[in-house]
Amino acid sequence: MAKDKRKVFKGWHAMPLKASFMLTSMLGFLISAYWVYPKSFNFGVSFMLIFFLMFVASLISVSKAPVDE
């Protein structure tokens, strides 16, 4: 059948992300830590968590994504 010819999804595959994604996560974390966090604790921690997760995603992308030649 056609199911045998198609690639069946097994697990997850890392996708290559742009370098600007990593730069945005680093700048966003620093801006959140120095400007947002002193003014609002809840928003500062939330933004820092989001930008930290973006940074982790970019590190996973760098180490696990396939290289196209």
Side-chain angles (χ1 to χ4, degrees), residues 16-60:
L17 296 171
K18 294 182 178 183
S20 61
F21 188 82
M22 181 181 275
L23 181 65
T24 303
S25 68
M26 290 188 289
L27 283 175
F29 185 85
L30 292 174
I31 289 171
S32 299
Y34 287 112
W35 286 340
V36 179
Y37 181 74
K39 295 181 192 297
S40 174
F41 175 77
N42 291 333
F43 279 112
V45 170
S46 300
F47 283 140
M48 286 191 293
L49 178 66
I50 295 296
F51 287 120
F52 176 74
L53 292 176
M54 286 173 60
F55 184 73
V56 169
S58 64
L59 288 180
I60 291 172

Side-chain angles (χ1 to χ4, degrees), residues 3-21:
K3 200 173 202 180
D4 296 332
K5 294 180 181 178
R6 288 187 285 172
K7 186 176 180 181
V8 179
F9 179 75
K10 294 180 182 179
W12 62 275
H13 295 39
M15 296 294 296
L17 296 171
K18 294 182 178 183
S20 61
F21 188 82

